[in-house]
Amino acid sequence: MDKFLIRGGKPLKGKVVISGAKNSALPCLAATLLTDETVTLHNVPYVKDLITQRRLLEDLDATVLTPELHTQKIKAANIEIYEAPYELVKTMRASVLALGPLLARFGQAKVSLPGGCAIGTRPIDLHLKAFERLGATVSLEAGDVVARAPKGRLIGADTFFEKVSVTGTENVMMAASLAKGKTTIHNAAREPEIEDLAELLNKMGARITGAGTTKIEIQGVEDLGAAEHTIIPDRIETGTFIVAAAITGGKLEIENCQPKHLQAVIEKLRETGVEIEERGADKIFVKCGGRGLRSKDVTTEPHPLFPTDMQAQYMALMTQAEGAATVVETIFENRFMHASELVRMGADIQISGNTAIVRGITKLMGAPILASDLRASASLVLAALAAEGETLIDRVYHIDRGYETIVKKLSAIGADIERITENLK
Ligand code: UD1
């Protein structure tokens, strides 16, 4: 398993270009299953989760033409298998995004039920309830969810999410695009990735309004067709690099980002004393204010509030801020696994239920540590960049799932980081 060796204490300086959003590219790739015509996606990040999603499409017999690394042309004309196998679903929960498109286009789909994952149980009951509202019968057979649309086509209906779900909203939006009649999604997720997917679907011929609000209306159409679309920049990667500049006392120009997609993060970081200047619609300049960082409390909430996917990175930053910060995680249980590793590096963090209290400023010292999930590993990299001495981070395959060429990007702005590849004998 690969590891990162980081020698901390160097302020990061220079320019970094943000990649396409993983969480947008995943549903957009799944959406290509809705048509037999070619869909071209640009700005697809080259990260492990996207490679897995592409493999899923290929397993279903879609043709993936990839003339360029970041452009994916997909033609799902010859689909005869309607099944996402456990082998793929267990490595990446987002494979459940195949369920909606397959069910809508072919009237049937089988997807393995995702098992428990590192950041909580993460059920898909809300996706399934919504499919049932659209007329599907859903059953559990030997660990697989099997969904069928009677007479082969879903029927538009009013659906209500008891809890805001990002991939749930996306799955239903895709399924309803080919349903007969109109679907309304109440209490829909409002993440920018939902709007991006709706934009792609509309380019393919769908009739979706209200994406980005809590009420999305979808007028079903008979079929969808070819389209070309550019994925939005990754707001979580953007936030991670802002914290990287702040935690090392550096200065960064962040390009190809969309500051409007991470206003809650930018506002919170400004409160702590990080200087963030938005330069036009797609650039950010960030530096750490001369007065040092102040602790500020944060609670994770669905968009447009502070994202759970930035909680771990924020916690790392708070170890370097004056005072005590309360960090409350409301989206996922068990999403504080980075805390014990940060403590090993010298942080003062106390956890009680879904609340962490981080007391700073603590001196972080390099140590051997273990990454437990995608965002936790980002938090550990940030802490290592600020720490004195060497940190060896094990299980970095987690970070490879969602951060494109992270070692290259960090090295280019002055970080001392190397990947150690272990060859299995
Ligand atoms: C997506 C993101 C992930 C992010 C999360 C929250 C993708 C590929 N992943 O995950 O990076 O951390 O949103 O912003 O976009 N829930 C249920 N039943 C369901 C579905 C969800 O109880 O059927 C619960 C979950 O356990 C969780 C909450 O609802 O507590 C929100 O989950 P959800 O928004 O669905 O997360 P994902 O879409 O899996």
Side-chain angles (χ1 to χ4, degrees):
M1 258 181 270
D2 287 9
K3 297 182 175 68
F4 286 169
L5 179 65
I6 298 174
R7 292 176 198 90
K10 300 188 173 53
L12 300 188
K13 288 194 180 131
K15 200 191 284 179
V16 64
V17 180
I18 298 302
S19 300
K22 166 185 88 76
N23 284 355
S24 185
L26 285 168
C28 287
L29 244 76
T32 65
L33 291 170
L34 286 161
T35 175
D36 59 3
E37 295 184 18
T38 303
V39 176
T40 305
L41 299 173
H42 301 289
N43 205 28
V44 176
Y46 191 69
V47 295
K48 186 77 177 51
D49 271 8
L50 266 304
I51 295 169
T52 309
Q53 191 76 327
R54 224 173 53 202
R55 224 189 99 198
L56 171 62
L57 297 179
E58 282 170 334
D59 276 10
L60 294 168
D61 276 344
T63 309
V64 183
L65 309 154
T66 53
E68 291 171 48
L69 208 56
H70 296 108
T71 292
Q72 306 278 320
K73 283 186 188 205
I74 294 143
K75 190 172 170 72
N78 304 315
I79 310 285
E80 279 171 20
I81 307 161
Y82 313 115
E83 189 177 335
Y86 183 60
E87 187 210 331
L88 288 180
V89 182
K90 76 171 186 218
T91 60
M92 190 190 60
R93 196 177 170 280
S95 359
V96 300
L97 285 165
L99 197 51
L102 290 176
L103 179 60
R105 182 163 154 213
F106 304 105
Q108 54 178 304
K110 186 159 135 184
V111 171
S112 272
L113 202 57
C117 85
I119 58 169
T121 45
R122 299 184 84 172
I124 56 162
D125 56 318
L126 301 174
H127 303 223
L128 303 182
K129 264 188 210 161
F131 291 141
E132 282 177 335
R133 291 283 303 161
L134 299 184
T137 54
V138 177
S139 57
L140 191 62
E141 295 170 16
D144 294 324
V145 171
V146 181
R148 285 192 185 84
K151 297 190 194 145
R153 191 167 180 201
L154 296 169
I155 298 163
D158 256 26
T159 61
F160 174 78
F161 277 92
E162 289 154 41
K163 197 170 177 183
V164 177
S165 168
V166 177
T167 46
T169 302
E170 291 163 350
N171 233 340
V172 176
M173 210 162 68
M174 290 189 280
S177 295
L178 285 180
K180 187 172 181 334
K182 183 179 155 189
T183 297
T184 305
I185 307 177
H186 299 278
N187 200 26
R190 289 180 282 168
E191 271 64 5
E193 293 77 20
I194 307 270
E195 283 187 75
D196 203 31
L197 173 65
E199 199 181 315
L200 167 66
L201 292 169
N202 283 341
K203 285 178 185 166
M204 291 166 69
R207 292 172 58 197
I208 302 173
T209 54
T213 74
T214 55
K215 185 176 164 193
I216 303 178
E217 292 182 321
I218 306 132
Q219 187 63 51
V221 296
E222 293 289 326
D223 47 34
L224 295 168
E228 190 162 348
H229 182 69
T230 301
I231 304 290
I232 54 170
D234 197 306
R235 64 196 163 98
I236 305 300
E237 189 196 15
T238 308
T240 304
F241 274 104
I242 298 179
V243 175
I247 204 167
T248 60
K251 281 184 195 172
L252 281 184
E253 265 181 82
I254 303 178
E255 291 191 351
N256 186 35
C257 58
Q258 285 205 14
K260 68 174 183 195
H261 290 161
L262 67 156
Q263 280 304 310
V265 172
I266 289 176
E267 282 313 313
K268 183 54 69 181
L269 292 173
R270 279 183 178 145
E271 281 176 37
T272 71
V274 183
E275 286 177 30
I276 302 170
E277 197 188 310
E278 294 172 36
R279 292 184 175 166
D282 64 355
K283 279 195 195 70
I284 288 177
F285 179 72
V286 49
K287 67 176 182 185
C288 204
R291 286 188 301 139
L293 296 166
R294 300 177 291 280
S295 293
K296 291 286 165 192
D297 298 344
V298 82
T299 299
T300 62
E301 303 273 5
H303 195 78
L305 299 176
F306 195 92
T308 175
D309 285 351
M310 277 300 297
Q311 179 258 106
Q313 301 89 317
Y314 186 79
M315 190 182 282
L317 185 67
M318 285 301 95
T319 67
Q320 301 307 297
E322 185 78 48
T326 303
V327 178
V328 182
E329 172 59 56
T330 71
I331 310 292
F332 293 113
E333 76 257 36
N334 205 13
R335 205 177 198 182
F336 282 147
M337 281 177 299
H338 42 284
S340 54
E341 301 304 297
L342 293 174
V343 168
R344 280 173 51 74
M345 297 176 74
D348 177 351
I349 303 171
Q350 274 160 354
I351 308 267
S352 170
N354 69 345
T355 303
I357 297 174
V358 190
R359 289 191 176 80
I361 300 172
T362 45
K363 186 170 181 166
L364 297 177
M365 303 292 291
I369 49 175
L370 209 59
S372 54
D373 68 58
L374 171 58
R375 305 305 169 186
S377 33
S379 148
L380 301 184
V381 168
L382 293 170
L385 291 170
E388 198 178 298
E390 279 188 2
T391 301
L392 189 64
I393 309 180
D394 201 353
R395 300 197 185 162
V396 294
Y397 58 84
H398 288 293
I399 206 160
D400 294 333
R401 285 187 41 213
Y403 287 87
E404 188 173 56
T405 57
I406 180 88
V407 172
K408 197 169 154 201
K409 284 190 186 185
L410 283 171
S411 301
I413 51 178
D416 186 342
I417 175 170
E418 63 181 289
R419 180 186 288 269
I420 298 174
T421 304
E422 258 181 32
N423 294 320
L424 294 176
K425 291 196 182 97

